[in-house]
Amino acid sequence: MGDCRHFGCIGGYMEKKNTPIYPTEKMTAWNIVLVILTVLMNALVAYVLIYVSNYSALSKKVFIWMNVGVLAALLVMDLLVYFSIRTMHKKVYAVTAILLCACLIAGSYGTYLTFRVQNNIDDMTSAEQTQDITASLVIYSGSSGIAITKTEDLDGKKVGIAKGSQTSVIAEKKLQAEGVNVEYQEYSGYTAAYRGLVTGEVQCAVLPITWQSLVEEDTSLSTYLEQCSSIEDFSDSVTSTNQTGADKDLTKEPFTILLTGENEGLADTIMVLSVNPVSMKVTMTSIARDSYVPISCYGNSSSKINDAHAVSESCMVDTVEQLLGITIDYTVEFNFASVIQVVDAVGGVDVDISVGFDAQCWDIVKDELEVYHLDPGNDVHLDGTRALGFARERYAFEDGDFARQRHQQEIIAQVLTKIMASKDPNMILQLMDAAGSNIATNFTRDQLVNFISYAMKKSNRYYGDSLSGVFNIVHSRITGSDSSVYNANYGMNLYIYKLSTQSINHTVEAINRNMDLNSSIGTSVPVDWSAGSEYTPPDISE
């Protein structure tokens, strides 16, 4: 046969310009590795492209060019692998392996990002929401001579719970697991359960972990606070089912949103938004959480609107619909953690602080209350923790709860403006992480994508490449007055916030005008007026 080194025998060794190739067994092993890595790379890229196609409505042009570029690069990489296997050059193998590893790393990272985004969106829009609830077993030392110092002492006693609340669910589960037999007394909300405790109807009340803040805001109950204490705090997970959102085309049909800021079953923030996609006008109306209104799930008996939220989201939706005479199309619920993380993700907010005060904030890592002093000033920069404390404060300001509502709307509007004006992918990822486990909504993914795409198109047409100017947000609140209702059973006046019928009507009129695509343009100022007369703006303007 002769020396085959100079003639290219199969399975032997070949020298071509001093470049050796591998023996057959090494070549075969390399080929198998390259093929496996190539198949894996193609699968990862295909998955990312298929997933990203769900969001192609955000920018079809960018999506098309991205697909063309990625597929072209994928084709070149596949051809390079094929060429490596055919030529069997050592240098070509090395270059191909390096490029293939780089593509695999990029594909793996892209897959990780898609999983990360998808999981967060699924968490936000899932029909079933699971959240950790922390409750306290609270006792009152002034009601009886019975010594209750631990959970076991509740055996045979009466325990007050808020009807339908999530804290009642985990309390019943806990006491049953520990073999503690109690008689449950249902109340219409946490404040009613607390009153039952201090009047001696029950020996213990199941309240949210923030029960002290809740009691402090009710002047008729705060005097009993020093004689109350928690014998045990406990947590558990509770799964609830969201109401299905409306089947609307958000790019054509006006819609309403009930926005609630939730903390352990309590709604610190209650806002009704109406959005007109044609005019891009948004009305944002705050409702005080102590508003005394008929509660739908209590047979329309009146109580604080917060009691509706303590029962369920659907009870809150029905109550607001009944109060305003409108239909709530969608809901968005967020908690303390989301406020802190979202504000931090956008780089903080700048607010005007008229008076200095000690802000009660929340440490989401330690899950406990912390206090920071905020000094007065203009354009004071706040991180997420301090922004939460600023948004929750009302006692430091002359207009009390109105100031709190105003600050909440200010922070929400500023965060939305920063989000819409940003093109930072890292910010978007941080926002998605913050929203995933802390915000729940019954919008569908397609509805959100289509609406954002629609807003981007309007922005590009009228406002350049920034979304910050596309929405016209009108702030308002439903006004009322501090009042009280005497309850003979408790022998005390109960603090309530009585809403003004006129203010409710003004709010409803503003929402209906914004929702009506066929309404004519007009003015609410009468023709018969005097330049010397003092003008008082309606509530919606305030």
Side-chain angles (χ1 to χ4, degrees):
M1 296 288 295
D3 192 348
C4 67
R5 288 178 298 171
H6 302 289
F7 300 100
C9 298
I10 298 177
Y13 295 90
M14 178 177 69
E15 291 183 1
K16 184 178 180 181
K17 296 182 180 180
N18 298 321
T19 302
I21 69 167
Y22 296 114
T24 301
E25 58 275 11
K26 286 190 175 182
M27 179 192 70
T28 302
W30 268 107
N31 290 346
I32 293 174
V33 171
L34 284 181
V35 170
I36 292 175
L37 293 179
T38 303
V39 171
L40 181 59
M41 177 193 67
N42 281 271
L44 289 175
V45 173
Y47 170 79
V48 173
L49 290 180
I50 292 173
Y51 173 79
V52 172
S53 67
N54 294 323
Y55 304 93
S56 60
L58 292 175
S59 180
K60 291 184 178 180
K61 184 178 180 180
V62 172
F63 175 74
I64 291 172
W65 281 111
M66 182 190 71
N67 273 265
V68 170
V70 171
L71 290 176
L74 193 63
L75 178 60
V76 170
M77 195 66 237
D78 289 341
L79 290 175
L80 186 59
V81 172
Y82 175 76
F83 181 73
S84 300
I85 294 175
R86 292 286 295 178
T87 60
M88 299 177 291
H89 274 257
K90 183 176 181 181
K91 290 183 178 179
V92 175
Y93 264 110
V95 171
T96 302
I98 292 173
L99 292 176
L100 192 56
C101 289
C103 290
L104 280 171
I105 292 173
S108 299
Y109 183 67
T111 304
Y112 158 72
L113 292 181
T114 57
F115 271 114
R116 182 174 164 184
V117 172
Q118 183 63 49
N119 287 338
N120 286 325
I121 292 177
D122 289 343
D123 287 342
M124 281 194 300
T125 59
S126 174
E128 289 190 347
Q129 298 289 335
T130 300
Q131 60 182 138
D132 293 330
I133 301 296
T134 304
S136 299
L137 296 176
V138 181
I139 60 168
Y140 174 59
S141 60
S143 60
S144 66
I146 303 175
I148 300 176
T149 59
K150 56 185 182 298
T151 305
E152 291 78 3
D153 296 336
L154 295 176
D155 195 69
K157 309 294 190 304
K158 280 188 176 183
V159 174
I161 57 175
K163 182 181 179 181
S165 64
Q166 294 174 325
T167 54
S168 67
V169 174
I170 65 172
E172 291 179 22
K173 180 179 177 182
K174 173 182 174 56
L175 294 178
Q176 183 179 12
E178 295 186 6
V180 180
N181 298 313
V182 301
E183 180 183 347
Y184 292 103
Q185 176 69 47
E186 291 186 336
Y187 292 93
S188 59
Y190 292 124
T191 52
Y194 184 81
R195 293 187 200 105
L197 175 67
V198 299
T199 55
E201 287 186 350
V202 294
Q203 287 75 53
C204 176
V206 179
L207 301 175
I209 189 67
T210 54
W211 61 274
Q212 290 175 310
S213 298
L214 172 67
V215 174
E216 284 175 350
E217 297 199 358
D218 193 323
T219 55
S220 62
L221 298 176
S222 58
T223 55
Y224 303 95
L225 192 56
E226 291 184 359
Q227 294 174 282
C228 294
S229 61
S230 171
I231 59 173
E232 184 176 358
D233 300 331
F234 56 96
S235 301
D236 203 349
S237 297
V238 176
T239 301
S240 58
T241 303
N242 287 344
Q243 285 185 315
T244 303
D247 184 17
K248 282 189 172 185
D249 183 348
L250 305 188
T251 65
K252 298 177 180 178
E253 302 175 77
F255 56 94
T256 58
I257 307 170
L258 177 62
L259 181 70
T260 52
E262 183 269 343
N263 180 42
E264 300 295 343
L266 300 176
D268 273 13
T269 303
I270 305 172
M271 294 184 193
V272 177
L273 284 70
S274 71
V275 183
N276 187 319
V278 177
S279 65
M280 298 305 283
K281 180 179 178 180
V282 179
T283 66
M284 183 181 293
T285 304
S286 293
I287 303 175
R289 71 179 196 176
D290 290 329
S291 299
Y292 194 67
V293 300
I295 307 297
S296 64
C297 52
Y298 290 161
N300 290 329
S301 61
S302 293
S303 186
K304 294 182 180 181
I305 197 170
N306 218 343
D307 292 338
H309 188 271
V311 174
S312 66
E313 180 185 66
S314 61
C315 181
M316 175 64 91
V317 169
D318 293 341
T319 298
V320 172
E321 287 182 335
Q322 182 174 274
L323 174 67
L324 301 181
I326 64 173
T327 299
I328 298 296
D329 297 316
Y330 304 99
T331 60
V332 176
E333 184 174 271
F334 60 92
N335 58 23
F336 280 179
S338 68
V339 175
I340 295 173
Q341 293 174 7
V342 166
V343 171
D344 284 338
V346 301
V349 292
D350 299 313
V351 301
D352 294 337
I353 303 178
S354 58
V355 294
F357 64 94
D358 291 330
Q360 293 188 355
C361 309
W362 198 261
D363 188 324
I364 57 177
V365 177
K366 299 178 181 178
D367 195 26
E368 63 184 22
L369 186 71
E370 54 185 9
V371 177
Y372 293 96
H373 183 77
L374 300 182
D375 294 317
N378 295 326
D379 291 329
V380 179
H381 187 76
L382 302 178
D383 62 6
T385 301
R386 289 166 176 78
L388 175 63
F390 175 71
R392 297 185 66 211
E393 179 61 33
R394 70 170 183 172
Y395 293 112
F397 303 97
E398 290 184 2
D399 48 353
D401 199 54
F402 290 153
R404 174 162 63 181
Q405 295 172 19
R406 185 172 62 253
H407 297 157
Q408 290 171 353
Q409 292 189 11
E410 179 185 356
I411 289 175
I412 291 173
Q414 195 172 149
V415 167
L416 287 175
T417 299
K418 286 193 171 188
I419 292 173
M420 292 184 291
S422 174
K423 292 186 177 180
D424 182 5
N426 187 53
M427 175 192 287
I428 303 302
L429 286 174
Q430 291 182 36
L431 287 169
M432 293 300 299
D433 289 339
S437 57
N438 299 305
I439 296 179
T441 181
N442 56 5
F443 284 102
T444 66
R445 180 191 62 194
D446 290 342
Q447 285 176 326
L448 292 174
V449 170
N450 289 335
F451 182 73
I452 294 173
S453 173
Y454 173 77
M456 291 174 65
K457 290 177 182 177
K458 278 214 168 189
S459 175
N460 291 334
R461 182 179 303 172
Y462 301 112
Y463 301 95
D465 58 356
S466 174
L467 279 170
S468 59
V470 73
F471 294 106
N472 174 23
I473 302 178
V474 179
H475 302 271
S476 69
R477 60 177 180 250
I478 300 180
T479 60
S481 58
D482 293 335
S483 185
S484 63
V485 173
Y486 180 76
N487 189 300
N489 293 330
Y490 301 130
M492 65 176 72
N493 288 319
L494 309 180
Y495 168 78
I496 62 171
Y497 187 74
K498 190 174 182 180
L499 298 179
S500 163
T501 302
Q502 184 180 24
S503 182
I504 293 175
N505 292 337
H506 284 159
T507 297
V508 174
E509 288 173 6
I511 292 174
N512 288 336
R513 281 198 306 270
N514 196 42
M515 297 285 288
D516 187 1
L517 295 178
N518 301 314
S519 61
S520 58
I521 299 175
T523 176
S524 59
V525 180
V527 177
D528 184 16
W529 62 280
S530 168
S533 301
E534 181 180 353
Y535 172 66
T536 302
D539 295 326
I540 190 68
S541 300
E542 293 176 354

